[in-house]
Amino acid sequence: MSTIKFFDQVNQNFDKAAAYTKHDKGILSQIKICNSVYHITFPVKRDDGSITTVNAWRAEHSQHKLPVKGGIRYAPSVNEDEVMALSALMTYKCAIVDVPFGGAKGGIRINKNDFSESELERITRRYTFELIKKNFIGPGIDVPAPDYGTGAREMSWIADTYNSMTDSNINAFACVTGKPIPQGGVRGRTEATGRGTFFGIREACDIADDMKRLGLKPGLDGKRVVVQGLGNVGYYAAKFLQQGGAVIVGIAEYEGAIYAPKGLDVDAVAKHRREKGSILDFPGAKNLAKNSEALELDCDILVPAALENQITMDNAGRIKARIIAEAANGPVTADASEALLAAGKIIIPDMYLNAGGVTVSYFEWLKNLSHVRFGRMNKRFEEDVNTRLLRTVEEMTGKKLPKALFDTIVHGPDEEDLVNSGLEETMISSYRQIREVKHQHNDAISLRTAAFISAINKVALAYKELGIFP
Ligand code: NAD
């Protein structure tokens, strides 16, 4: 386990990239620093009448663009350093995918499995109330989202609490993203981070030169994948990778790991876990004694999608995967990254690869501010244009298209189509941008350093536009 603090590790990576830029020292230190951290402790009444004290944080790393944005995590390991580090990654992530937000992150130090639903609701509402009191939440201030241990349910409690405290604000529901659809959520947000992870991996695998260097064929087809964490990000990433032609040979969860060289069906494993309470003993798969063993399995792509500090100097030398796709935030420590790169592997960095969540959160925020569902204005119009066009072609050629094909071509985009298409475009163009920066440095830098350079340049430009720095 690395002894270097998480935020220091992020800053080590930052410094390495900053050395390739020409920005003034002052602006670099302003970009790097975490602007504000709020630590709250509050009492919660348990269902049995006892009182427990809860520690929670919200860090706002950079207000160069407003609102600031970042998830809220519920985990026993949450601490101030972690929240600050994750908020910094959010700043760089938003810059990389050109989402106009500053970075933030929140966390509550609890194991969600130790609390009932009503206790979790009380904790979430109280946390939101504390954020409102200190101006740490609001559609133009700070907009949280789901992260490890939270989802649409928690976001709906936050939205409802904020809305009930600020009833004259017609944009109140834009105070948080990742909400259920009836509360202003956007279709495709739940799957967004996993889907974005898939698009990012697919794009990386499509670059023939890079694959050749790894001794792999271009394309996703047949690539052997191991996924750590079958939660929101890991499940959807695994599912889309499988649909895209990859073979999921290993899955690790909290309770253990399973391995099947011929491939695992992701939905069947998820169903098995729901029914049996564990991924272990999945028919046709081999159980691994320790879940961390899955990281060292023979595969082409390793997708850590659980928590930070999973690949350290302790196990980096035993990682067999040639591509490490960081779906989680900070799964590879800075020193382990160096070791993996020295061994000729490719690391697709977290601040790019898991940016699908914040990208679709951006779409949700825009939907909430515009008060109109994506596709509402243009879907039928486009269908009418397409229908007229096809009918004209049919009349001119004297041939009729089969109905199913006709309907597919005519189909106008609905909200989910537009969201997924916007996400795909973002993940592809951002990967190409990072790859181009790497190329400009004669491929002598990593994708992570290239991503940092790109982010630093964009944030520095934003500060200059604000007139704060010359
Ligand atoms: P989640 O709570 O939905 O799922 C995480 C899963 O990992 C859980 O099922 C948990 O049991 C499992 N897990 C924990 N420790 C493990 C271990 N040692 N080995 C194997 N499995 C383990 O969380 P999530 O939302 O999927 O987040 C996962 C990671 O992705 C985090 O680093 C988070 O910051 C990052 N992330 C999430 C989002 C999002 O939209 N949810 C966006 C960007 C980044």
Side-chain angles (χ1 to χ4, degrees), residues 199-445:
F199 287 140
I201 295 174
R202 188 188 65 184
E203 193 57 23
C205 289
D206 275 349
I207 299 186
D209 283 351
D210 291 351
M211 291 304 108
K212 194 173 169 198
R213 200 167 54 73
L214 296 177
L216 296 172
K217 285 200 190 115
L220 203 52
D221 210 33
K223 294 247 172 3
R224 297 162 308 144
V225 178
V226 170
V227 179
Q228 182 200 37
L230 203 59
N232 173 281
V233 178
Y235 165 72
Y236 284 110
K239 187 179 159 87
F240 294 127
L241 285 165
Q242 185 188 340
Q243 282 172 7
V247 183
I248 311 297
V249 295
I251 297 179
E253 244 304 330
Y254 205 71
E255 62 276 5
I258 50 173
Y259 176 58
K262 293 215 168 101
L264 295 157
D265 179 65
V266 177
D267 274 330
V269 175
K271 183 167 176 272
H272 173 85
R273 187 167 193 246
R274 268 195 310 277
E275 285 169 3
K276 311 269 184 218
S278 167
I279 56 168
L280 295 173
D281 301 325
F282 181 72
K286 186 179 156 207
N287 289 339
L288 301 182
K290 278 169 59 189
N291 57 8
S292 57
E293 278 179 46
L295 300 171
E296 299 166 21
L297 284 170
D298 185 22
C299 64
D300 302 312
I301 307 173
L302 174 62
V303 185
L307 282 173
E308 58 266 20
N309 286 335
Q310 298 303 302
I311 303 175
T312 66
M313 287 309 281
D314 294 341
N315 58 356
R318 296 192 298 273
I319 302 296
K320 297 187 192 67
R322 274 160 283 180
I323 301 170
I324 293 89
E326 295 183 332
N329 283 308
V332 185
T333 60
D335 48 3
S337 280
E338 294 300 326
L340 294 172
L341 294 170
K345 300 176 191 295
I346 285 184
I347 302 176
I348 312 177
D350 49 5
M351 52 206 261
Y352 157 71
L353 193 64
N354 65 33
V358 77
T359 302
V360 175
S361 276
Y362 170 46
F363 301 156
E364 179 176 334
W365 181 76
L366 292 174
K367 175 186 180 181
N368 296 152
L369 296 182
S370 65
H371 300 269
V372 62
R373 167 172 49 81
F374 293 112
R376 179 168 174 181
M377 307 293 279
N378 54 324
K379 180 177 165 62
R380 189 157 294 274
F381 179 80
E382 289 190 26
E383 284 180 357
D384 289 347
V385 171
N386 294 344
T387 305
R388 280 202 299 274
L389 200 72
L390 282 193
R391 290 261 148 83
T392 310
V393 173
E394 283 183 340
E395 276 165 27
M396 287 172 73
T397 58
K399 288 183 183 157
K400 274 210 164 293
L401 278 170
K403 183 164 178 348
L405 183 59
F406 189 99
D407 290 347
T408 311
I409 299 173
V410 158
H411 172 79
D414 52 30
E415 181 168 90
E416 196 158 0
D417 297 324
L418 291 166
V419 163
N420 291 343
S421 161
L423 172 62
E424 184 170 11
E425 165 59 20
T426 303
M427 294 308 293
I428 291 175
S429 58
S430 303
Y431 191 82
R432 291 183 183 167
Q433 261 182 38
I434 298 168
R435 189 66 189 72
E436 178 56 27
V437 174
K438 186 172 170 350
H439 188 63
Q440 283 162 5
H441 290 81
N442 301 319
D443 281 326
I445 59 170

Side-chain angles (χ1 to χ4, degrees), residues 23-33 463 469:
H23 300 294
D24 173 87
K25 270 202 182 111
I27 195 167
L28 288 171
S29 74
Q30 172 53 46
I31 295 173
K32 206 164 98 169
I33 209 149
Y463 269 119
F469 288 93

